[in-house]
């Protein structure tokens, strides 16, 4: 129920394999650390997720993930946590050793970047993963739809995690050693449908990308497995 005590929950936690510490965020933008060796939780006092680039949120209202990160991974070559902020689509990295967070690049689709607008799914996307090479991030994200030269606009506000309107699905790769971003374009099924309700991702050893998508066939809706055939050039 919405109200003064309402908060959205972090959907992703990440483990520092060096000491077993677990990191998670809150809607207020706080970062917390669970200390495995002490069985205790403390707030990281030196840093938070309240960044101007991420936007401004009423943490007592639904419709966004507020200041929470959306998805995070551990990147061993740098001993860093990489993550994406949901509504804004900004990629960041967090150094747990010195408790410092650095905003890197906006990894939304190119059409989203050029429009200057947020995506229709304001909660952000969970389809964010480190690929089998251990260096490339794969991200499934939204892109605006244009009809007759005009961007198709959705509702002003989403409820209960729904998308505010129609959007395409784009596959983004981001090669961490050189910070090279690449939008591989909008994805469509053979019948012209655009995959929707995507909040999952897996990458096979051959570079193929898998996700669960809503599918409409013969007037019926279902969730089914989709594949984007690899390998996919990322750098």
């Amino acid at each position: 129920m919405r109200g003064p005590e309402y908060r959205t929950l972090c959907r992703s936690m990440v483990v520092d394999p060096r000491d077993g510490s677990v990191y998670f965020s809150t809607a207020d933008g706080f970062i917390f650390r669970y200390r495995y060796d002490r069985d205790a939780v403390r707030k990281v006092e030196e840093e938070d997720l309240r960044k101007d680039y991420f936007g401004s949120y009423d943490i007592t209202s639904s419709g966004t993930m507020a200041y929470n990160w959306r998805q995070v991974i551990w990147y061993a070559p740098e001993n860093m946590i990489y993550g994406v902020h949901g509504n804004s689509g900004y990629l960041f990295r967090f150094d747990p050793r010195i408790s410092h967070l650095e905003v890197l690049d906006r990894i939304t689709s190119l059409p989203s970047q050029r429009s200057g607008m947020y995506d229709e799914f304001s909660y952000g996307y969970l389809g964010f993963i480190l690929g089998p090479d251990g260096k490339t991030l794969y991200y499934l994200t939204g892109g605006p739809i244009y009809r007759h030269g005009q961007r198709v606009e959705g509702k002003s506000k989403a409820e209960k995690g729904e998308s505010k309107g129609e959007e395409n699905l784009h596959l983004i790769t981001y090669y961490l050693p050189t910070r090279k971003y690449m939008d591989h374009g909008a994805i469509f099924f053979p019948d012209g449908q655009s995959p929707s309700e995507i909040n999952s991702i897996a990458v096979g050893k051959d570079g193929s990308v898998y996700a669960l998508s809503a599918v409409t066939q013969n007037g019926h809706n279902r969730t089914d497995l989709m594949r984007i055939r690899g390998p996919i050039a990322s750098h």
Side-chain angles (χ1 to χ4, degrees):
M1 181 179 293
R2 287 175 291 176
E5 303 302 317
Y6 177 87
R7 297 292 187 276
T8 53
L9 297 174
C10 170
R11 298 297 198 273
S12 177
M13 298 181 288
V14 63
V15 178
D16 183 338
R18 297 172 298 177
D19 61 7
S21 293
V22 181
Y23 292 85
F24 59 95
S25 69
T26 66
D28 311 71
F30 300 137
I31 301 171
F32 283 84
R33 176 189 181 190
Y34 167 72
R35 289 285 302 267
Y36 176 79
D37 57 344
R38 301 179 185 177
D39 191 24
V41 176
R42 75 166 184 88
K43 185 170 74 172
V44 176
E45 299 290 350
E46 302 86 355
E47 188 59 278
D48 60 53
L49 291 157
R50 284 181 171 263
K51 308 301 179 187
D52 288 347
Y53 277 26
F54 293 168
S56 179
Y57 305 97
D58 175 5
I59 62 174
T60 67
S61 178
S62 64
T64 73
M65 290 296 294
Y67 297 99
N68 272 305
W69 60 46
R70 185 58 167 158
Q71 185 66 282
V72 282
I73 58 98
W74 177 259
Y75 183 51
E78 296 177 1
N79 290 320
M80 294 275 193
I81 294 169
Y82 277 79
V84 63
H85 175 257
N87 197 40
S88 67
Y90 271 100
L91 179 73
F92 64 86
R93 65 181 174 188
F94 175 69
D95 186 343
R97 183 180 60 85
I98 59 173
S99 298
H100 174 68
L101 188 144
E102 180 182 7
V103 179
L104 299 175
D105 293 295
R106 192 171 182 226
I107 60 169
T108 54
S109 67
L110 280 176
S112 289
Q113 293 182 29
R114 290 167 179 162
S115 74
M117 306 297 288
Y118 287 144
D119 290 338
E120 296 296 340
F121 187 43
S122 55
Y123 271 68
Y125 310 88
L126 286 167
F128 175 89
I129 197 172
L130 189 64
D133 67 351
K135 299 177 182 178
T136 304
L137 293 171
Y138 291 76
Y139 185 45
L140 290 171
T141 185
I145 295 173
Y146 288 84
R147 294 195 180 108
H148 310 296
Q150 298 295 317
R151 184 174 66 89
V152 177
E153 296 187 27
K155 297 184 294 185
S156 61
K157 186 176 181 181
E159 298 291 342
K160 298 181 180 179
E162 67 178 353
S163 178
K164 292 183 292 184
E166 295 178 79
E167 60 181 1
N168 289 326
L169 179 72
H170 285 243
L171 173 63
I172 308 299
T173 55
Y174 190 92
Y175 188 62
L176 290 171
T178 60
R179 290 177 56 176
K180 183 177 180 180
Y181 160 98
M182 186 178 294
D183 182 348
H184 298 270
I187 299 162
F188 299 96
F189 293 131
D191 64 1
Q193 286 188 68
S194 177
S196 62
E197 300 179 24
I198 305 291
N199 268 301
S200 59
I201 190 171
V203 182
K205 291 182 180 180
D206 66 347
S208 293
V209 176
Y210 299 85
L212 293 174
S213 171
V215 177
T216 301
Q217 192 172 38
N218 299 324
H220 298 284
N221 298 323
R222 71 175 192 276
T223 299
D224 212 337
L225 182 67
M226 59 170 274
R227 175 190 182 190
I228 306 166
R229 190 180 298 275
I232 296 164
S234 61
H235 58 89

